Amino acid sequence: MKAKKIVIFLLLAVIGCKQETKISSTNEVSLSQNLKFEEQQNIIKISSGKFQYQLNKNKIPFEKIVVLNASLLGYIEELNAEDRIVGVSSPEYIYSEKINALIAKGKIQNVGNEQKFDVEKIISLKPDAVLSNYIASFDNTYQVLKNNGIDVLFLDEYTEQLPLEKTAYLKLFGNLLGLDEIANSKYEEIAKNYQQIKILASRSSSKPKVLANEMYGDIWYLPGGATSVAHFISDANAQYVLQNNQNSKSVTMSFEQVFATSYDVNFWVNAGNHKSKNDLLAINPFYNKLSVFKSGKIYSISAKEKDKANDFFCSGVVRADLVLKDYVKIFHPELLPNYTLTYMKELL
């Protein structure tokens, strides 16, 4: 399951330069092409992908919420609003110490997992809303919750293709939780940091070549040239092996194709959540044939991991600035001599 979550994250979303939140003359706040919201006299209209919502303002701010995806918890954690959560699914994947402490005290209930949610428990918690990524196989579950008067909001942040647009979901969370001022301030801080780190990276005269992700079975799932990983690498002033590719999803290649493409690669990043190079070889001994394996540097996303929980998929979803800073530290260590990697870890 952990490997699946890593694949899903690394294959999705594109990240680029700073995107300003757009506010139209009709008071609509556009956080991305996928997410917009608008306050009217008595309602808040939300457009999230293909889903449309109208929430009565008397239901805002939410005081009790159930969150069914760990990635969405990162926004709540950034706003220090963990005490609003009354239920979560799959707590074993949650990294936050504060949320885990609330679970241990019984203040946050376990409401199931990605195979089955405990609908009766969710209903008994009487949440103001349930927040989730949309999973079609749970349509019946969602409908039961709606039939019991519970608002179910689908926020698919993983589909976002720019880092600061993904971060900008903070503004919607701020609105729903009555924490607009804090959310706006947090967003501006992260966006400013991101731009400063990107400018710092551009000052380096070196531009190393980079390989990403790993093989699953006989297939190497490389991020397309328009994915989040590709844009992080570009913003960190490095060359991604598929930088001229225009695909915003994964590109499948055989080991032989990757071998031919990566003969001059200096760095291999996002190599799963492995602990050592030997771990990689145990999965696929052919990795040893890659020049980057023998003479380059390899980094996993395991620096903040406890058992099944990995903070890269929680706070890392929001903190695009820290993710970019990790990449800059990896590719241009001389620019950040005193910085310690947050999410990434070198494999030895």
Side-chain angles (χ1 to χ4, degrees), residues 243-308:
Q243 64 181 1
N244 295 323
N245 179 277
Q246 298 302 311
N247 203 317
S248 60
K249 296 182 180 180
S250 64
V251 175
T252 59
M253 297 176 71
S254 67
F255 178 82
E256 291 74 17
Q257 289 174 308
V258 173
F259 179 83
T261 303
S262 62
Y263 66 92
D264 57 348
V265 160
N266 309 102
F267 296 93
W268 176 3
V269 299
N270 292 39
N273 61 324
H274 305 293
K275 304 299 183 184
S276 69
K277 294 171 71 173
N278 283 335
D279 285 350
L280 283 172
L281 288 181
I283 295 172
N284 192 329
F286 288 106
Y287 285 147
N288 195 39
K289 296 180 180 296
L290 296 172
S291 60
V292 67
F293 189 93
K294 293 182 286 189
S295 59
K297 289 182 175 291
I298 305 173
Y299 290 83
S300 69
I301 50 172
S302 59
K304 294 188 73 177
E305 188 175 49
K306 294 184 297 187
D307 298 323
K308 294 182 179 182

Side-chain angles (χ1 to χ4, degrees), residues 8 50 63 74 80 102 129 142 148 159 164 183 189 222 227 236 239 245 247 252 290 304 329 343 345:
I8 291 172
K50 65 181 181 180
E63 298 294 340
N80 295 315
L102 291 171
Y142 302 142
N148 279 271
T159 64
L164 296 178
E189 178 184 358
L222 284 87
T227 59
Q239 302 178 70
N245 179 277
N247 203 317
T252 59
L290 296 172
K304 294 188 73 177
K329 174 67 175 181
Y343 302 110
K345 182 178 180 180

Side-chain angles (χ1 to χ4, degrees), residues 325-337:
K325 199 170 185 178
D326 272 11
Y327 283 118
V328 174
K329 174 67 175 181
I330 290 169
F331 305 143
H332 310 289
E334 74 283 358
L335 297 178
L336 295 166

